[in-house]
């Protein structure tokens, strides 16, 4: 299980993997469906760009109300991949800022320690990197260290995930011999 000290580095690794998948999206694939059934490739990337834009102000102590509509609208523009790249370093740096993981982060559903917010971001990046890879015909391999960390956190959240049908497909009970990546994806309603 990852420690609090590992979380910023895991967040950066998750960003690197997600970035590699974004880099592999072909120009004619933006409207393709993804395993995240409500979103196309473009819409899924827009979700992650928006989430990354929120990281620096939230990690700096701002509230959802103080951020307001700053990140509303089309966050991708005409160069979706470039929009993603522009968010990576600021988000990673905000997570790596001294004391960031110990701070309280003010989210729409309540206050959380920075470490918990970071875990959610890492899981989101890992699972959605797989979604994008699947949708665009890229390698679906996942970083083993990220999978182990996310699987541990996801299992802790399993009761909550089952109740969040709007955001995730219901968890799937994995086969008894399922490997760690399959168990992680099953936890978030995906089938390999």
């Amino acid at each position: 299980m990852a420690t609090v000290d590992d979380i910023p580095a895991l967040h950066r690794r998750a960003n690197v993997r997600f970035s590699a998948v974004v880099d592999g999206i072909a120009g004619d694939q933006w409207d393709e469906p993804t395993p995240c059934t409500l979103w196309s490739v473009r819409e899924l990337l827009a979700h992650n760009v928006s989430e990354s834009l929120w990281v620096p102000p939230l990690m700096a102590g701002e509230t959802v109300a103080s951020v307001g509509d700053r990140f509303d609208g089309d966050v991708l523009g005409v160069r979706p991949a470039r929009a993603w790249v522009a968010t990576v370093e600021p988000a990673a740096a905000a997570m790596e800022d001294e004391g960031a993981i110990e701070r309280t982060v003010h989210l729409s559903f309540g206050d959380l320690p920075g470490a918990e917010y970071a875990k959610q971001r890492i899981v989101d990046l890992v699972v959605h990197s797989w979604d994008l890879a699947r949708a665009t015909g890229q390698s679906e391999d996942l970083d083993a260290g990220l999978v182990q960390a996310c699987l541990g956190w996801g299992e802790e959240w399993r009761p909550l995930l089952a109740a969040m049908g709007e955001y995730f497909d219901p968890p799937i009970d994995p086969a008894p011999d399922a490997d760690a990546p399959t168990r992680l994806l099953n936890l978030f309603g995906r089938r390999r």
Side-chain angles (χ1 to χ4, degrees):
M1 178 71 67
T3 68
V4 171
D5 292 336
D6 299 331
I7 291 173
L10 290 171
H11 179 260
R12 186 171 285 276
R13 277 171 57 185
N15 273 293
V16 168
R17 170 64 182 142
F18 193 90
S19 296
V21 176
V22 170
D23 192 47
I25 299 171
D28 62 349
Q29 293 181 312
W30 293 108
D31 294 323
E32 292 295 317
T34 70
C36 196
T37 56
L38 297 177
W39 289 330
S40 67
V41 169
R42 182 181 175 86
E43 291 164 334
L44 184 53
L45 182 61
H47 160 74
N48 280 86
V49 167
S50 178
E51 291 292 316
S52 289
L53 288 168
W54 279 86
V55 172
L58 291 177
M59 292 304 283
E62 289 192 51
T63 65
V64 171
S66 70
V67 174
D69 63 0
R70 196 180 316 169
F71 305 124
D72 287 359
D74 180 10
V75 295
L76 296 182
V78 296
R79 295 190 173 109
R82 191 173 287 177
W84 166 254
V85 169
T87 70
V88 172
E89 189 54 37
M95 290 286 184
E96 294 165 355
D97 189 42
E98 187 172 339
I101 295 301
E102 290 81 27
R103 289 185 198 133
T104 298
V105 179
H106 310 288
L107 302 173
S108 60
F109 55 86
D111 292 350
L112 284 180
E116 288 303 311
Y117 173 55
K119 290 175 189 179
Q120 291 177 13
R121 287 279 308 134
I122 294 164
V123 170
D124 200 48
L125 288 164
V126 171
V127 173
H128 287 323
S129 72
W130 182 86
D131 289 335
L132 287 178
R134 163 70 58 102
T136 58
Q138 298 183 58
S139 170
E140 297 175 21
D141 292 342
L142 296 172
D143 177 301
L146 289 170
V147 166
Q148 287 302 324
C150 292
L151 190 55
W153 300 326
E155 288 295 344
E156 292 172 15
W157 304 334
R158 190 177 185 93
L160 177 65
L161 294 173
M164 294 180 70
E166 179 182 343
Y167 299 103
F168 300 106
D169 289 340
I172 299 166
D173 289 328
D177 61 345
D179 62 11
T182 299
R183 289 194 331 267
L184 175 65
L185 294 169
N186 288 173
L187 186 59
F188 290 91
R190 276 104 170 131
R191 295 185 190 278
R192 280 179 94 189

PDB file of all heavy atoms in Angstrom, residues 23 29 37 57 75 77 83 88 110 112 121-122 130 177 186:
ATOM      1  N   ASP A  23      -1.306  11.433 -26.182  1.00  0.00           N
ATOM      2  CA  ASP A  23      -0.406  11.650 -27.317  1.00  0.00           C
ATOM      3  C   ASP A  23      -0.691  10.673 -28.458  1.00  0.00           C
ATOM      4  O   ASP A  23      -0.423  10.986 -29.616  1.00  0.00           O
ATOM      5  CB  ASP A  23       1.046  11.509 -26.843  1.00  0.00           C
ATOM      6  CG  ASP A  23       2.037  11.998 -27.875  1.00  0.00           C
ATOM      7  OD1 ASP A  23       1.832  13.110 -28.420  1.00  0.00           O
ATOM      8  OD2 ASP A  23       3.006  11.275 -28.150  1.00  0.00           O
ATOM      9  N   GLN A  29     -10.224  10.315 -34.058  1.00  0.00           N
ATOM     10  CA  GLN A  29     -10.760   9.485 -32.977  1.00  0.00           C
ATOM     11  C   GLN A  29     -11.487  10.261 -31.880  1.00  0.00           C
ATOM     12  O   GLN A  29     -11.989   9.665 -30.942  1.00  0.00           O
ATOM     13  CB  GLN A  29      -9.624   8.668 -32.332  1.00  0.00           C
ATOM     14  CG  GLN A  29      -9.040   7.630 -33.268  1.00  0.00           C
ATOM     15  CD  GLN A  29      -7.942   6.831 -32.601  1.00  0.00           C
ATOM     16  OE1 GLN A  29      -7.043   7.385 -31.973  1.00  0.00           O
ATOM     17  NE2 GLN A  29      -8.023   5.516 -32.742  1.00  0.00           N
ATOM     18  N   THR A  37     -19.346   5.132 -20.621  1.00  0.00           N
ATOM     19  CA  THR A  37     -20.410   5.166 -21.620  1.00  0.00           C
ATOM     20  C   THR A  37     -21.048   6.525 -21.882  1.00  0.00           C
ATOM     21  O   THR A  37     -21.628   6.717 -22.944  1.00  0.00           O
ATOM     22  CB  THR A  37     -21.515   4.151 -21.247  1.00  0.00           C
ATOM     23  OG1 THR A  37     -21.975   4.444 -19.924  1.00  0.00           O
ATOM     24  CG2 THR A  37     -20.992   2.727 -21.293  1.00  0.00           C
ATOM     25  N   PRO A  57      -5.892  25.457  -7.747  1.00  0.00           N
ATOM     26  CA  PRO A  57      -6.609  26.299  -6.789  1.00  0.00           C
ATOM     27  C   PRO A  57      -7.129  25.522  -5.572  1.00  0.00           C
ATOM     28  O   PRO A  57      -7.103  26.040  -4.450  1.00  0.00           O
ATOM     29  CB  PRO A  57      -7.759  26.908  -7.602  1.00  0.00           C
ATOM     30  CG  PRO A  57      -7.880  26.104  -8.831  1.00  0.00           C
ATOM     31  CD  PRO A  57      -6.539  25.493  -9.076  1.00  0.00           C
ATOM     32  N   VAL A  75     -12.981  23.540 -22.431  1.00  0.00           N
ATOM     33  CA  VAL A  75     -11.614  23.623 -21.905  1.00  0.00           C
ATOM     34  C   VAL A  75     -10.592  23.058 -22.884  1.00  0.00           C
ATOM     35  O   VAL A  75      -9.391  23.152 -22.637  1.00  0.00           O
ATOM     36  CB  VAL A  75     -11.485  22.904 -20.537  1.00  0.00           C
ATOM     37  CG1 VAL A  75     -12.313  23.606 -19.477  1.00  0.00           C
ATOM     38  CG2 VAL A  75     -11.843  21.437 -20.645  1.00  0.00           C
ATOM     39  N   GLY A  77     -10.687  23.542 -26.599  1.00  0.00           N
ATOM     40  CA  GLY A  77     -10.415  24.357 -27.767  1.00  0.00           C
ATOM     41  C   GLY A  77     -10.173  23.508 -29.003  1.00  0.00           C
ATOM     42  O   GLY A  77     -10.649  22.379 -29.103  1.00  0.00           O
ATOM     43  N   ALA A  83      -4.269  21.126 -24.896  1.00  0.00           N
ATOM     44  CA  ALA A  83      -4.962  21.607 -23.693  1.00  0.00           C
ATOM     45  C   ALA A  83      -4.622  20.713 -22.500  1.00  0.00           C
ATOM     46  O   ALA A  83      -4.399  21.201 -21.389  1.00  0.00           O
ATOM     47  CB  ALA A  83      -6.473  21.644 -23.925  1.00  0.00           C
ATOM     48  N   VAL A  88      -0.829  19.530 -17.075  1.00  0.00           N
ATOM     49  CA  VAL A  88      -0.113  18.477 -16.353  1.00  0.00           C
ATOM     50  C   VAL A  88       0.852  19.030 -15.307  1.00  0.00           C
ATOM     51  O   VAL A  88       0.796  18.643 -14.133  1.00  0.00           O
ATOM     52  CB  VAL A  88       0.623  17.537 -17.334  1.00  0.00           C
ATOM     53  CG1 VAL A  88       1.515  16.557 -16.591  1.00  0.00           C
ATOM     54  CG2 VAL A  88      -0.382  16.796 -18.208  1.00  0.00           C
ATOM     55  N   GLY A 110     -17.785  18.232   0.128  1.00  0.00           N
ATOM     56  CA  GLY A 110     -17.271  18.364   1.487  1.00  0.00           C
ATOM     57  C   GLY A 110     -15.766  18.514   1.521  1.00  0.00           C
ATOM     58  O   GLY A 110     -15.098  18.503   0.479  1.00  0.00           O
ATOM     59  N   LEU A 112     -11.944  17.371   2.439  1.00  0.00           N
ATOM     60  CA  LEU A 112     -11.136  16.153   2.536  1.00  0.00           C
ATOM     61  C   LEU A 112      -9.683  16.539   2.755  1.00  0.00           C
ATOM     62  O   LEU A 112      -9.248  17.604   2.317  1.00  0.00           O
ATOM     63  CB  LEU A 112     -11.192  15.348   1.234  1.00  0.00           C
ATOM     64  CG  LEU A 112     -12.411  14.531   0.894  1.00  0.00           C
ATOM     65  CD1 LEU A 112     -12.209  13.829  -0.438  1.00  0.00           C
ATOM     66  CD2 LEU A 112     -12.700  13.513   1.978  1.00  0.00           C
ATOM     67  N   ARG A 121      -7.816  11.623  -7.577  1.00  0.00           N
ATOM     68  CA  ARG A 121      -7.265  12.079  -8.859  1.00  0.00           C
ATOM     69  C   ARG A 121      -6.443  10.968  -9.522  1.00  0.00           C
ATOM     70  O   ARG A 121      -6.535  10.752 -10.725  1.00  0.00           O
ATOM     71  CB  ARG A 121      -6.362  13.305  -8.636  1.00  0.00           C
ATOM     72  CG  ARG A 121      -7.101  14.555  -8.318  1.00  0.00           C
ATOM     73  CD  ARG A 121      -7.656  15.239  -9.560  1.00  0.00           C
ATOM     74  NE  ARG A 121      -6.592  15.413 -10.534  1.00  0.00           N
ATOM     75  CZ  ARG A 121      -6.721  15.114 -11.829  1.00  0.00           C
ATOM     76  NH1 ARG A 121      -7.824  14.627 -12.304  1.00  0.00           N
ATOM     77  NH2 ARG A 121      -5.711  15.294 -12.651  1.00  0.00           N
ATOM     78  N   ILE A 122      -5.641  10.273  -8.739  1.00  0.00           N
ATOM     79  CA  ILE A 122      -4.810   9.204  -9.293  1.00  0.00           C
ATOM     80  C   ILE A 122      -5.687   8.104  -9.866  1.00  0.00           C
ATOM     81  O   ILE A 122      -5.470   7.651 -11.002  1.00  0.00           O
ATOM     82  CB  ILE A 122      -3.837   8.658  -8.222  1.00  0.00           C
ATOM     83  CG1 ILE A 122      -2.826   9.735  -7.820  1.00  0.00           C
ATOM     84  CG2 ILE A 122      -3.127   7.408  -8.728  1.00  0.00           C
ATOM     85  CD1 ILE A 122      -2.073   9.445  -6.530  1.00  0.00           C
ATOM     86  N   TRP A 130      -6.979   4.000 -19.158  1.00  0.00           N
ATOM     87  CA  TRP A 130      -7.382   2.730 -19.751  1.00  0.00           C
ATOM     88  C   TRP A 130      -8.579   2.942 -20.686  1.00  0.00           C
ATOM     89  O   TRP A 130      -8.610   2.398 -21.795  1.00  0.00           O
ATOM     90  CB  TRP A 130      -7.722   1.705 -18.667  1.00  0.00           C
ATOM     91  CG  TRP A 130      -8.103   0.381 -19.237  1.00  0.00           C
ATOM     92  CD1 TRP A 130      -7.256  -0.639 -19.599  1.00  0.00           C
ATOM     93  CD2 TRP A 130      -9.423  -0.072 -19.561  1.00  0.00           C
ATOM     94  NE1 TRP A 130      -7.980  -1.694 -20.117  1.00  0.00           N
ATOM     95  CE2 TRP A 130      -9.312  -1.370 -20.101  1.00  0.00           C
ATOM     96  CE3 TRP A 130     -10.685   0.495 -19.437  1.00  0.00           C
ATOM     97  CZ2 TRP A 130     -10.414  -2.102 -20.529  1.00  0.00           C
ATOM     98  CZ3 TRP A 130     -11.790  -0.236 -19.860  1.00  0.00           C
ATOM     99  CH2 TRP A 130     -11.649  -1.521 -20.393  1.00  0.00           C
ATOM    100  N   ASP A 177      -9.488 -15.839 -10.079  1.00  0.00           N
ATOM    101  CA  ASP A 177      -8.088 -15.797 -10.500  1.00  0.00           C
ATOM    102  C   ASP A 177      -7.734 -14.518 -11.264  1.00  0.00           C
ATOM    103  O   ASP A 177      -6.693 -14.443 -11.910  1.00  0.00           O
ATOM    104  CB  ASP A 177      -7.769 -17.025 -11.357  1.00  0.00           C
ATOM    105  CG  ASP A 177      -8.609 -17.092 -12.624  1.00  0.00           C
ATOM    106  OD1 ASP A 177      -9.628 -16.357 -12.720  1.00  0.00           O
ATOM    107  OD2 ASP A 177      -8.253 -17.866 -13.531  1.00  0.00           O
ATOM    108  N   ASN A 186     -12.596  -3.921 -12.922  1.00  0.00           N
ATOM    109  CA  ASN A 186     -13.896  -4.454 -12.493  1.00  0.00           C
ATOM    110  C   ASN A 186     -14.496  -3.613 -11.375  1.00  0.00           C
ATOM    111  O   ASN A 186     -15.706  -3.378 -11.335  1.00  0.00           O
ATOM    112  CB  ASN A 186     -13.778  -5.893 -12.024  1.00  0.00           C
ATOM    113  CG  ASN A 186     -13.546  -6.913 -13.116  1.00  0.00           C
ATOM    114  OD1 ASN A 186     -13.311  -8.075 -12.821  1.00  0.00           O
ATOM    115  ND2 ASN A 186     -13.609  -6.514 -14.367  1.00  0.00           N
TER     116      ASN A 186
END
